[in-house]
């Protein structure tokens, strides 16, 4: 790991040492593959920043300059993107990013308590890294897995239905160098650098390993199949068959079962003078 302090105030340009020639050659070759996927070179910036992280472990100053040179951008433009998205790290990141979901549902199901206890257990706060360089702890807004709350992710692999104790055991195993298996997905968790290379667009062959969705996520699909429900088609009318389907418990085409129906007027409408409330606009029409 880097000798620089593992803290969020470590500057973006913490590493100014040039890349070794062999590393630079591989980076340029991989970058050329990425750039070739896009009609405009600048569109390759996001995956190229992941590529930099796959080598340096975070977005370094030398990585910013490389992206700028290869994409005909300024370093300010590259830095603006690198500092906008949370998956791009501006300081040395741990081998494993442990993200505890503390959004509403996970929080009330125990996510807040998990974060607090694991933070105390590791001795680090949000976006801080343990001294051994193994774990970077994060609060995350949503893991898109509310049906398995509370959820913890390790390098964006799911660990469902976690507790403070199970998560502390998880981070202890990671720090010990043990191989851990996610609840869903591949058979193992890859390192931050390995995952960054995948995000750059270089598959590791693990995408089809293990289940991608659990029973809770699939319940709606299975229920719809059991009851013969189908999604409404935008080009279909409200014919007899569709009405019969709605009566049977399905959703008829063109019909709505919430207050946000097509017949409802919007709360506000745009005008040449800006946005006005519907009531205000109606008064003007009456006048």
């Amino acid at each position: 790991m880097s000798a620089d302090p593992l803290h969020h105030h470590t500057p973006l340009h913490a590493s100014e040492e040039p890349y070794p020639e062999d590393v630079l050659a591989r980076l340029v070759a991989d970058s050329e593959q990425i750039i070739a996927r896009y009609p405009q070179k600048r569109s390759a910036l996001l995956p190229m920043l992941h590529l930099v992280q796959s080598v340096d472990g975070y977005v370094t100053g030398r990585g910013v300059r490389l992206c700028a040179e290869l994409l005909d951008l300024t370093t300010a433009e590259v830095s603006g993107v690198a500092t906008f998205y949370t998956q791009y790290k501006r300081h040395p990141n741990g081998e494993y990013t442990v993200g505890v979901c503390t959004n509403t549902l996970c929080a009330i199901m125990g996510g807040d308590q998990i974060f607090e206890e694991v933070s105390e257990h590791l001795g680090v706060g949000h976006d801080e890294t343990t001294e051994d360089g193994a774990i970077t702890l994060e609060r995350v807004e949503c893991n898109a897995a509310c049906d398995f709350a509370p959820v913890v992710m390790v390098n964006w692999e799911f660990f469902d239905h976690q507790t403070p104790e199970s998560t502390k055991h998880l981070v202890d195993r990671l720090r010990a160098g043990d191989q851990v298996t996610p609840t869903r997905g591949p058979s193992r968790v890859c390192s931050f650098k390995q995952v960054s290379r995948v995000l750059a667009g270089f598959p590791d062959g693990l995408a089809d390993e293990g289940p991608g969705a659990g029973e809770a996520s699939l319940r709606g699909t299975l229920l719809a199949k059991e009851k013969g429900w189908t999604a409404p088609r935008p080009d279909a009318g409200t014919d007899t068959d569709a009405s019969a389907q709605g009566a049977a418990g399905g959703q008829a085409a063109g019909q709505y079962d919430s207050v946000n129906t097509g017949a409802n007027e919007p709360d506000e409408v745009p005008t040449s003078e800006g946005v006005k409330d519907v009531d205000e606009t109606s008064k003007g029409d009456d006048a």
Side-chain angles (χ1 to χ4, degrees), residues 191-232:
S191 71
F192 179 76
K193 288 184 177 181
Q194 291 170 331
V195 170
S196 295
R197 183 167 177 81
V198 173
L199 292 173
F202 299 93
D204 59 4
L206 302 179
D208 296 323
E209 278 195 3
E215 183 179 352
S217 298
L218 298 174
R219 183 57 187 147
T221 300
L222 295 174
L223 186 63
K225 186 175 181 179
E226 290 171 6
K227 296 185 176 294
W229 294 344
T230 58

Side-chain angles (χ1 to χ4, degrees), residues 65-78:
R65 287 196 301 276
L66 177 66
C67 290
E69 290 169 6
L70 294 178
L71 299 177
D72 297 330
L73 298 171
T74 66
T75 54
E77 288 174 316
V78 176

Side-chain angles (χ1 to χ4, degrees), residues 93-244:
N93 198 73
E95 185 174 4
Y96 299 101
T97 299
V98 175
V100 181
C101 184
T102 55
N103 211 337
T104 307
L105 183 58
C106 278
I108 63 175
M109 294 291 286
D112 282 340
Q113 184 178 356
I114 290 174
F115 182 87
E116 291 169 6
E117 292 196 25
V118 173
S119 175
E120 182 178 359
H121 181 70
L122 293 175
V124 296
H126 169 70
D127 200 24
E128 294 181 350
T129 303
T130 55
E131 291 184 2
D132 60 4
I135 306 290
T136 294
L137 182 65
E138 290 184 341
R139 290 180 179 270
V140 292
E141 281 302 310
C142 184
N143 286 324
C146 302
D147 38 358
F148 299 102
V151 175
V152 172
M153 297 195 89
V154 179
N155 289 345
W156 301 288
E157 298 293 354
F158 289 104
F159 289 81
D160 303 325
H161 301 306
Q162 292 297 291
T163 66
E165 290 305 316
S166 68
T167 309
K168 284 186 282 188
H169 179 63
L170 172 62
V171 297
D172 286 345
R173 290 189 62 197
L174 291 169
R175 297 184 79 180
D178 295 344
Q179 182 173 297
V180 298
T181 302
T183 308
R184 291 171 283 132
S187 59
R188 65 185 186 276
V189 172
C190 296
S191 71
F192 179 76
K193 288 184 177 181
Q194 291 170 331
V195 170
S196 295
R197 183 167 177 81
V198 173
L199 292 173
F202 299 93
D204 59 4
L206 302 179
D208 296 323
E209 278 195 3
E215 183 179 352
S217 298
L218 298 174
R219 183 57 187 147
T221 300
L222 295 174
L223 186 63
K225 186 175 181 179
E226 290 171 6
K227 296 185 176 294
W229 294 344
T230 58
R233 288 168 37 202
D235 59 342
T238 55
D239 56 18
T240 304
D241 291 340
S243 299

Side-chain angles (χ1 to χ4, degrees), residues 6-45:
L6 304 181
H7 190 273
H8 65 280
H9 285 155
T10 303
L12 180 66
H13 59 275
S15 175
E16 295 293 344
E17 181 182 344
Y19 287 110
E21 289 187 8
D22 59 331
V23 174
L24 179 61
R26 289 197 301 270
L27 275 171
V28 171
D30 287 342
S31 296
E32 288 175 349
Q33 288 189 50
I34 295 172
I35 293 169
R37 302 172 193 157
Y38 300 93
Q40 295 186 28
K41 289 202 297 185
R42 65 183 298 137
S43 300
L45 178 56

